[in-house]
Amino acid sequence: MLALNENRTTPTVLALSLLLGLFGTRDALAGDTSDTMRVGDMQFGNALDPRGWTPMLQPADPDGMSYLHAGMLRTPTGSLYPYPPMIDAARPVGQGDWTYDGVLDFGYLHVGGDRNAEYFRQYADWRSGAVLGLFALDFQNHKTGAYAEFRGSRLSSDDQYYRVRGGVYGSYRIEGFYREIPHTVSTNAYPIWNGVGSTSLTLPASLVPGASTPAQVAAVSAATPEHNIGLTRRREGLSYEGVLYHDWIASAAITNEKRTGTRLWGGSMFFNYPFPDNGGILETVRPIDFRTTDVNFSVRNVGKVWHFLATYNGSFFRDHKDHLDFQSPFALTNVAGTPQVANIYNGRFSLEPDNDYHNLRLDLSRELKWNGQLTVAGAWATMRQNDGLLPPTSCTGTGGVFIAPTADYTFQCANWNTTSALSQRSANARIDTGLFDARATFHPSPTFGWHAGVRWYREDNKTRYLAYNPLTGQYGFISENGSQGSVVPGETGFFDPANPLFNSSNVLVRNVPFSYTDSILELGTDWQLGHKTSLGVTYTFDHNQPKYRERNRVDDQRIKVDWVSRDVIGATVRMSWEFAKRDGGKYNYDPYVQFFAQSLPGFVAPSIGLAAYTVADMRKYDLSNRTENKARLIVTHPWGDSATISATFYGNRDHYDALIGRQNTSTTGATVQWDWQPTPATTMNLYLGVEGSHMGISNVNDADSADNGRIFGSLGQSNPNLGGPFYPYANQWWEDDSESNRNAGLSFSHDFGRARFDLSYNYTDSLGHVGYSYATIGALAYRDAASVAAANRGFPDDRYRTNTLDLGLSFRVTSAVGVRLYGRYETGAFSDWHYLGLDNTLVYDHRLYTDKGGQLHYNASLVGVMLNLKL
């Protein structure tokens, strides 16, 4: 089953050899390993059958969950247990102790309507044609407890799964699987480049790189055939679990996931704002071709005193395409008005590097006096990446701007488009983590208990990189592959202590090795206030010490109260409330001086001072002082003997102490669900949900802009304070981002004896709104009449709405033959202001887009007939 091609076979065959060599297959082993330390994929299904076993369902067993209790049973909180399906008698295999059971479900699907709509096929490769709904075989040996099973389904060549298991209950289990999951990103894309899916995007012959007009590019874009953009995840794995010796149980697993396809990507050749005909903003297409291999090993022992578990997890990522080169059709025109030195039109992206992850963890636990338990865990992990680095640029010739007679802001690409321009040839990146976690729980009496826990975690970034070019003696890197410095004089991206034109360039020259240490103390207690009521209180103190961040200490204190009662008008009520307060050390708005050129010898501070790139009153949301409140109410009420109604209400409020940055967030929501099963043959469920969220942020537009007649002028550049000449109060603005979601669902099923009818309906509706307010018109980057009017109105609302109706009719022709009729009808409506105008053209000035967005309205249908054979 797994040997589909050589690439897929290699990791699984190696893993199988390793697993069998380590653990073997003993016939009589102690300990139940049927569902412990589960590794690999947990759920197998697809869009046709999300559960993965619907064709195997039999009519419900009227005896319910127990021969001792007629009808249905409930959980302790009042929810109904469903009636279990009846189990057919298995058929014998020859004259031995083995029996088997199986099903073959196959047929034909027809897709109609807007079958290519993006949201209809986003995670399902719906196609008209023959399909394998399910092929399942189960073998059981009731005498020895041995079993083997196979399950598979195939909708298309990119949408299928297969799984095989075997073992002996209470002894060992081995499992292998292969599955494919499609992901459609866009069905409405028009990339103009040749080589889509490769690492090199070249322009068609009708366009000249760096010398084409917007009209020419628009004509090519309009004539480009429609493309589908998407990828497929192909995942395979093997796992084994069994007893090594006496009470020692081991497990091992390997999974391999390969992703191939394409995805929409960026491609800037510097800004196209605020100067027209400069640079270009491009939406390109990047290749997806990488593999992730995960391995897991564990050994555990449940002794008389101590319980022991040791695990190793490893993850190995390999990208088979490490870069993306693209050609820009647009010319670069510098803002100085002088002739262009060179025509730079090549762009390059470095894609994800190969990397490795290793994690070792040890867990110990034991019972204590006073009905207590102690658990201790320790772990160490390392993440490493040492890929070869690409040259800083891929440009050729001369870049930059020459302003006669002496202002030579140019650079030679030959000094930067080679790995000799690097201070080191490989990344040598490494992050190590450490963890210690201990928790003690005591219940000295049936009505009282308490617990205490401590957790320490450290992330240590050991990566150190200095951007230095030994060929030129310059620090930093060429920004935007040379395009930025070829538009704006001096913005080349490097610092040169020997050149007066560049010895004040305060550019980034070192990586920032972000790290942190987090220590958590938790104390809690719970009381049983009565036979059916309990109260719990937990206090948590979280002490975080970030490194190379705006704060070196962040303290978060939290108290949580839980109240549960099973005696409120016959219902179970669960309520919780949390209050949290976060503060910390002094806030430093610019802690990154040591990573910029100003920290290097030879740097000359500008006479007007260093530009204040960040307003001092900015507070990053994860470091800002914050007050948080959370509340949740869950009610579960039995309604008669065969129904349950449950409801959940929740709300979160966060307030941030920030003049600039995130200021507040809130979320409120409610869900109501009704479950009804009056007989084993009839089931009905109804679900309603609503949620609203809001986020408020504020920022300020600097006064040093082209609208004021200056380009990087002198007005208050070095003053970072809100209210100063560079960041005046008059330029402050506020944004209110709100979103509301509604969803509903209905399912109904009735078994008539020889036939079964199924119906389900799902509705989703999401509405997003972004509103703005501002102190004065100076807060706007563009101050023409259209921009002012748009800011006053806010952006148009974003909306996404779908309706999906599924109908099914299954009937038995004989005891071994059945027919299943299936139908789906789906409608959708989509509106996003980001895509407004793209139906007319994908080219606006020097801005080129590839994707027109999801289909605004679609109606799609799916009908099928499946033949169900019991094997």
Side-chain angles (χ1 to χ4, degrees), residues 678-698:
T679 70
T682 304
T683 302
M684 186 172 182
N685 308 93
L686 178 65
Y687 173 85
L688 298 171
V690 295
E691 182 180 90
S693 61
H694 172 269
M695 180 176 67
I697 65 175
S698 179

Side-chain angles (χ1 to χ4, degrees), residues 34 112 124 144 146 150 184 192 228 256-257 273 304 330 414-415 477 527 534 543 563 570 614 702 728 735 777 830 838:
S34 60
T144 64
F150 172 81
T184 299
I192 67 171
N228 285 353
N256 187 75
E257 181 174 294
Y273 306 100
K304 296 181 179 180
F330 301 120
N415 291 328
F477 51 88
W527 294 273
S534 63
H543 177 64
W563 181 79
T614 303
D702 63 71
E735 175 187 328
I777 195 175
F830 167 78
L838 297 186

Side-chain angles (χ1 to χ4, degrees), residues 301-506:
N301 177 274
V302 181
K304 296 181 179 180
V305 178
W306 286 97
H307 307 325
F308 169 91
L309 172 63
T311 59
Y312 165 78
N313 291 288
S315 183
F316 310 94
F317 176 86
R318 298 295 181 264
D319 194 342
H320 303 299
K321 293 182 171 61
D322 62 354
H323 71 281
L324 174 65
D325 290 333
F326 61 92
Q327 291 181 334
S328 172
F330 301 120
L332 302 179
T333 304
N334 68 64
V335 299
T338 61
Q340 189 70 29
V341 173
N343 191 8
I344 293 179
Y345 51 81
N346 289 317
R348 168 169 285 187
F349 278 105
S350 178
L351 302 180
E352 296 88 350
D354 295 351
N355 57 82
D356 299 334
Y357 170 77
H358 305 272
N359 181 283
L360 293 170
R361 181 182 174 106
L362 176 64
D363 291 84
L364 298 171
S365 64
R366 62 163 298 168
E367 295 182 355
L368 301 174
K369 294 182 178 180
W370 304 311
N371 196 22
Q373 186 176 33
L374 171 68
T375 59
V376 180
W380 175 85
T382 183
M383 297 169 274
R384 303 189 182 189
Q385 187 268 104
N386 198 30
D387 247 13
L389 299 179
L390 298 177
T393 72
S394 62
C395 69
T396 58
T398 303
V401 180
F402 177 77
I403 303 177
T406 59
D408 187 0
Y409 293 101
T410 63
F411 62 91
Q412 297 301 316
C413 291
N415 291 328
W416 293 90
N417 59 15
T418 171
T419 54
S420 298
L422 298 169
S423 59
Q424 59 188 59
R425 298 298 180 91
S426 61
N428 194 27
R430 174 178 174 179
I431 298 176
D432 293 343
T433 65
L435 168 71
F436 175 79
D437 195 348
R439 182 181 178 90
T441 303
F442 298 93
H443 278 87
S445 72
T447 60
F448 176 76
W450 64 276
H451 68 268
V454 294
R455 184 181 187 273
W456 176 89
Y457 178 82
R458 170 174 289 175
E459 184 172 290
D460 184 12
N461 190 335
K462 299 180 180 295
T463 307
R464 299 294 185 271
Y465 181 78
L466 174 65
Y468 173 71
N469 186 342
L471 299 180
T472 64
Q474 296 164 335
Y475 297 82
F477 51 88
I478 301 296
S479 59
E480 295 289 344
N481 208 30
S483 62
Q484 182 171 346
S486 298
V487 173
V488 180
E491 291 199 5
T492 52
F494 60 75
F495 159 72
D496 188 345
N499 189 335
L501 295 177
F502 296 103
N503 62 7
S504 296
S505 298
N506 193 26

Side-chain angles (χ1 to χ4, degrees), residues 801-818:
R801 182 170 55 239
T802 63
N803 294 270
T804 304
L805 176 66
D806 288 309
L807 297 173
L809 179 63
S810 305
F811 54 91
R812 293 189 294 277
V813 180
T814 68
S815 59
V817 179

Side-chain angles (χ1 to χ4, degrees), residues 564-587:
V564 180
S565 178
R566 294 185 289 116
D567 195 24
V568 179
I569 59 172
T572 297
V573 177
R574 287 169 283 180
M575 293 192 300
S576 67
W577 171 76
E578 291 184 54
F579 174 78
K581 184 77 172 179
R582 184 171 69 195
D583 55 20
K586 183 179 179 181
Y587 196 94

